[in-house]
Amino acid sequence: MTGVLLVDKPEGTTSAGVIRALKPRLGRAKAGHLGTLDPFASGLLPLCLGEATKVARYLLVEEKAYEGTIRLGTATDTLDRTGTPVDTAPVPALAQAALDALAARFTGRQQQVPPMYSALKRDGVPLYALARRGLEVERAPREITIDRLELVLRAPDRIDFRLVCSKGTYVRVLAADLGRALDTRAHLERLRRTRVGAFRVEDATALEALLALAPAAALPALAVREALAGYPAFAAPSPEALERLRRGQQEPLVHLPAPLLDPAGNVAAIIEAAGARPAWRLVRLLCDTVS
């Protein structure tokens, strides 16, 4: 089984838990997700299956879109609603114009400090494991990009948001930072991922519906070519050239810097620039059965 399966993850389930739940349907096929969603969050969780795991690193860097709600007045240790309250502050009277100005301030490239409750590691130990022991360590800030941020006042202590951001952005940290910028405290109350690159949650299938499929029914996975539709593609020069590629020979790639298609139109290989010269190298060779 090969392809990209778009799952609409429910709240209360881990990303790894989605894969475990589908494992009886996947059999021996490898599976990996394109970006973890916190257990309390819902929304789009693309899964790369089988040979499609070889192109996961290209899809992982795509921008992501979210919607959700920020609760003002209380900070939690996890920066979301699942955590323990650690601080409170009065919520000032807010006007929509002030939120529009704040959204503009937080749009663009910026530095963000990862949260302690994250899977990042320090000396091989996940930060969340240290946080659960009551420890806090210094974390180096990372550059992220907020491409679009919309803030809408829903209630005196709640802000709805829509967000388009780069890989590596922690929405929980953004919520806490916005709270401090409003001279109060905040945590993430609700989060739903709506897009990963070109994949949209509207095209995803709820986990419950996938689990309810008949045993003989095929999973609605996208073909690798569909998943890489945003990349330029070139047909292989000839069946002989494609066969040489499968034997590890690089010469046919000289003028083909892109996903390489076999005679049937399926993705056969991923190619990228190699060094400063206009040369290219094979970085992922997919098997004959990829579709």
Side-chain angles (χ1 to χ4, degrees):
M1 181 180 300
T2 285
V4 178
L5 181 63
L6 304 182
V7 181
D8 189 344
K9 186 188 89 66
E11 294 182 3
T13 302
T14 66
S15 299
V18 170
I19 295 177
R20 285 195 298 270
L22 291 171
K23 195 61 180 173
R25 298 297 307 265
L26 301 179
R28 294 185 177 182
K30 294 182 290 185
H33 55 72
L34 298 179
T36 301
L37 269 178
D38 288 332
F40 84 96
S42 68
L44 181 59
L45 184 70
L47 303 182
C48 287
L49 309 177
E51 289 289 302
T53 56
K54 294 180 179 179
V55 301
R57 72 185 181 106
Y58 302 97
L59 302 174
L60 276 168
V61 300
E62 300 284 357
E63 68 178 15
K64 298 174 173 62
Y66 299 89
E67 62 181 28
T69 302
I70 298 169
R71 178 74 176 267
L72 302 176
T74 302
T76 69
D77 54 0
T78 61
L79 309 184
D80 60 50
R81 72 164 191 254
T82 68
T84 301
V86 294
D87 195 12
T88 61
V91 179
L94 299 173
Q96 185 58 49
L99 293 183
D100 293 342
L102 182 65
R105 279 176 50 198
F106 275 80
T107 299
R109 289 186 179 182
Q110 56 200 270
Q111 297 291 311
Q112 186 184 71
V113 178
M116 278 300 299
Y117 278 88
S118 68
L120 299 177
K121 294 183 178 181
R122 172 65 59 88
D123 298 327
V125 180
L127 292 184
Y128 65 77
L130 298 176
R132 287 170 182 168
R133 290 186 233 158
L135 301 176
E136 183 166 352
V137 297
E138 186 175 353
R139 287 96 64 202
R142 295 178 164 193
E143 183 175 279
I144 63 165
T145 301
I146 304 297
D147 292 299
R148 187 167 73 250
L149 177 61
E150 299 175 12
L151 303 174
V152 177
L153 190 62
R154 174 185 167 193
D157 64 345
R158 285 178 173 83
I159 297 172
D160 285 345
F161 68 88
R162 292 181 182 273
L163 168 70
V164 178
C165 59
S166 65
K167 172 186 179 295
T169 302
Y170 286 92
V171 186
R172 290 176 286 132
V173 173
L174 177 63
D177 289 345
L178 289 169
R180 282 189 289 270
L182 291 170
D183 198 26
T184 183
R185 299 293 180 265
H187 66 270
L188 195 57
E189 184 173 70
R190 180 181 65 88
L191 182 65
R192 181 167 175 78
R193 186 156 65 194
T194 58
R195 184 168 61 82
V196 175
F199 303 136
R200 303 180 307 159
V201 72
E202 292 86 355
D203 300 320
T205 304
L207 176 61
E208 183 178 359
L210 292 172
L211 297 177
L213 289 173
L219 292 174
L222 300 173
V224 173
R225 184 174 182 180
E226 292 180 81
L228 297 176
Y231 289 74
F234 296 85
S238 66
E240 293 76 17
L242 188 58
E243 186 57 35
R244 292 203 300 275
L245 282 175
R246 290 193 171 111
R247 292 199 299 267
Q249 300 174 24
Q250 305 286 298
E251 181 272 333
L253 305 179
V254 174
H255 302 294
L256 296 173
L260 185 65
L261 307 183
D262 67 15
N266 300 319
V267 175
I270 306 297
I271 306 159
E272 67 181 21
R277 298 185 303 164
W280 305 87
R281 66 185 178 91
L282 180 70
V283 293
R284 285 290 185 273
L285 180 64
L286 278 64
C287 72
D288 296 352
T289 58
V290 170
S291 62

